């Protein structure tokens, strides 16, 4: 399926924001596959294989993947319009920016979200979750696995365990946009009902796809709902037959799939599931790179947004700026070293911190030397940006 | 902005379905642009220029473009959830498959669609429209400019004229998925309120983008609506500030844009608006190629689905199969000549007809010889498929 690219990408600045990330030549030039019919046998098999490989990445045998042109955000619409009926309650575990937006999305489709908020840099605890579940009946509990705005990693295994024990009918929804393929997720073993994500982070593919995987229980909830789904483009009534058809090797039409991007996604999934590095080793390499970068941050006397190291993401790091260093100065010092990092995202603190992504080939392919480059640039840029105030 | 590609795409079968279509090397390899931050100055200007060039293609000075990761279908959700409020009436002019789907989409968001249906191969007439408008009050009238299932071209200039005269507050919504950049559309002069489209047809770009342009009147309708929009991902509350920011040269975040695809779209828009062939000449070349292909169809004794040649699309042709020739046989005879065409799309007649696309570089760049290749393959394949029954 995935062929070795004949093309090599041009030299360019190293992109280490928390997504989009650097992608391999094979993936990038699969995105420049000559135009193909969306119902050609070649494309059907590339689409079907992508569905199957996504299951491997999420350690699920029975999950139902959905691959739809869109962004990670569209996955929220899928959850809100297919799994929750108007008037039903949703518990949103809030660990940053994305909790607020998800709650907003749920409201639009008629659900009643309640947020369980942690302070900045933390995530709600399993005990807090247990109390909340005992107080009310929730159709779904949502958790942002890695909140890209804070770098907080939620313990989705424990969260799912609490939900399964205290409120077994409640669906566990994981926003894995900034975690899939960089953090371990075992859908079946952990009892997770939905993982939604996007291609441009740990999955090492250009952006433009909404990627979601639903458990059998989630599909059952969808098929037995009483009111029809409250969205059209995000409706599984429209998409489920398409996904089944492509997986079974035939074509079906609802809307034209992003053909080239599916070729690119297939190339990346092939690297992830069939490459030299196993998934377990991939997760270990993310942890190792993360440790090195976080140590470099600490060595500079800087503080992460994450309050407890046990809840720090392994694919990104968010760091408070000290007095006298501005985001633009820091970013431009990095840019002079041909390294692109990101500023803050939390509304009230945008100008107070910066973020570094360390996912995908930048940490898996050590021959690139990206982690060293990040650490060198960090030290030098800090001195320069501090001086340039 | 758009640089000459250093790369050349591999030899491959000529793709002449009614989208996706063949794309130029510049466009294809812009889709393989090295990873870029969605808030980098370089990308912001590429995004802003794409917005501005889209206005040129649609002959509008004041239209507000939206470029969102998704498919053409998502444009319907934008219309249904932003411009119509629950309980309001919509008149859907039906000229094939896409009228039914659009009516379905409107219903999901609470609108009350009425379809004005023509027989297969025709479109509702301006007189029928006038009668319908006099009978009821409609918030929007929708028309499929070219219905990809039938090849029927609707006369959107006359339709808009009737609506403006008879029911001036009603918004005119054009589904231009299979027409933008292959058929003339003058948004401002003709009084059209929304054109929604997709990149993989006349716009000569890989699929994966929902492209929409809204008139000032449409934006006014949106900003003065009483209920909030009924979608989240398709909501202009979320997207309007993003489009304005990128056009003004700053970044804003709602969901990650499909960065690479925007580079590709920019490359194609650059060819269309700044290339050697003017827009008027581009339309003329589409008409000329269409005439040649339709003549070849007639010469073979075959009949188009379109009943009246005045209502035939210039970017595609749909043709009834004679007795004894099956779609699979015909498609495989074409494939042996390295030409890929499409079967039928209308639910009840899928196996009774075939479709050829003739848009973009296949008709604009005559040095490729694609039109000759299509005509040669048509004659030969027909003889072979007839013999192979």
């Amino acid at each position: 399926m995935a062929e070795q690219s004949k093309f090599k990408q041009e030299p360019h600045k190293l992109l280490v924001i928390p997504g989009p990330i650097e992608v391999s030549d094979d993936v990038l030039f699969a995105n420049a596959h000559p135009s193909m019919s969306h119902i050609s046998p070649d494309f059907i098999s590339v689409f079907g294989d992508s569905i199957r490989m996504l299951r491997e990445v999420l350690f699920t045998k029975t999950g139902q993947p959905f691959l739809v042109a869109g962004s990670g955000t569209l996955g929220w619409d899928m959850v809100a319009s297919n799994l929750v009926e108007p008037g039903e309650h949703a518990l949103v575990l809030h660990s940053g920016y994305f909790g607020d937006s998800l709650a907003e999305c749920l409201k639009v489709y008629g659900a009643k979200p309640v947020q369980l908020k942690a302070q900045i840099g933390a995530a709600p605890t399993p005990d807090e979750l247990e109390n909340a579940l005992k107080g009310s009946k929730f159709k779904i509990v949502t958790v942002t696995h890695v909140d890209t705005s804070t770098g907080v990693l939620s313990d989705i295994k424990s969260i799912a365990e609490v939900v399964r024990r205290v409120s077994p009918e409640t669906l566990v929804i994981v926003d894995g946009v900034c975690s899939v393929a960089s953090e371990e997720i075992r859908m079946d073993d952990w009892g997770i009902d939905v993982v939604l994500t996007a291609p441009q982070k740990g999955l090492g593919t250009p952006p433009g796809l909404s990627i979601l995987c639903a458990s059998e229980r989630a599909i059952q909830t969808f098929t037995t709902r009483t009111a029809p789904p409250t969205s059209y483009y995000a409706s599984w009534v429209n998409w489920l037959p398409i996904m089944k058809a492509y997986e079974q090797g035939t074509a079906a039409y609802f809307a034209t799939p992003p053909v080239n991007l599916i070729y690119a996604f297939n190339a990346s999934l092939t690297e992830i599931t069939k490459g030299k590095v196993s998934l377990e080793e991939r997760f270990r390499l993310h942890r190792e790179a993360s440790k090195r970068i976080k140590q470099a941050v600490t060595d500079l006397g800087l503080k992460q947004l994450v309050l407890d190291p046990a809840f720090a993401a392994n694919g990104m790091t968010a760091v408070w700026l000290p007095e006298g260093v501005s985001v633009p100065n820091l970013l431009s010092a990095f840019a002079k070293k041909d390294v692109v990092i990101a500023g803050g995202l939390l509304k009230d603190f945008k100008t107070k911190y910066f973020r570094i992504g360390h996912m995908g080939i930048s940490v898996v392919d050590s021959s690139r030397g990206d982690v060293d480059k990040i650490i060198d640039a960090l030290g030098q840029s800090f001195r320069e940006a501090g001086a340039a105030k």
Side-chain angles (χ1 to χ4, degrees), chain A residues 38-115:
Chain A
H38 50 298
I39 61 167
S40 63
D42 187 271
F43 176 67
I44 291 171
S45 100
V46 165
F47 202 130
D49 287 341
S50 302
I51 287 173
R52 284 180 281 271
M53 287 189 284
L54 181 63
R55 281 202 195 93
E56 290 182 49
V57 173
L58 297 172
F59 295 94
T60 176
K61 296 265 183 243
T62 53
Q64 173 61 56
F66 292 85
L67 306 177
V68 175
S71 84
T73 303
L74 179 63
W76 301 346
D77 290 64
M78 288 203 210
V79 167
S81 64
N82 291 292
L83 294 179
V84 191
E85 299 198 41
E88 290 180 335
H89 295 263
L91 182 64
V92 175
L93 305 186
H94 179 284
S95 53
Y97 176 95
F98 291 93
D100 290 328
S101 314
L102 177 47
E104 186 57 34
C105 175
L106 286 160
K107 260 189 244 170
V108 165
Y109 293 105
K112 295 188 184 301
V114 178
Q115 289 205 54

Side-chain angles (χ1 to χ4, degrees), chain A residues 193-216:
Chain A
D193 295 299
V194 167
V195 175
L196 62 93
T197 188
Q200 74 274 10
K201 309 209 180 194
L203 288 165
T205 309
L209 203 58
S210 170
I211 301 163
L212 186 146
C213 190
S215 71
E216 285 184 304

Side-chain angles (χ1 to χ4, degrees), chain A residues 210-229:
Chain A
S210 170
I211 301 163
L212 186 146
C213 190
S215 71
E216 285 184 304
R217 183 169 37 221
I219 294 294
Q220 172 87 7
T221 299
F222 160 68
T223 53
T224 56
R225 59 181 287 146
T226 53

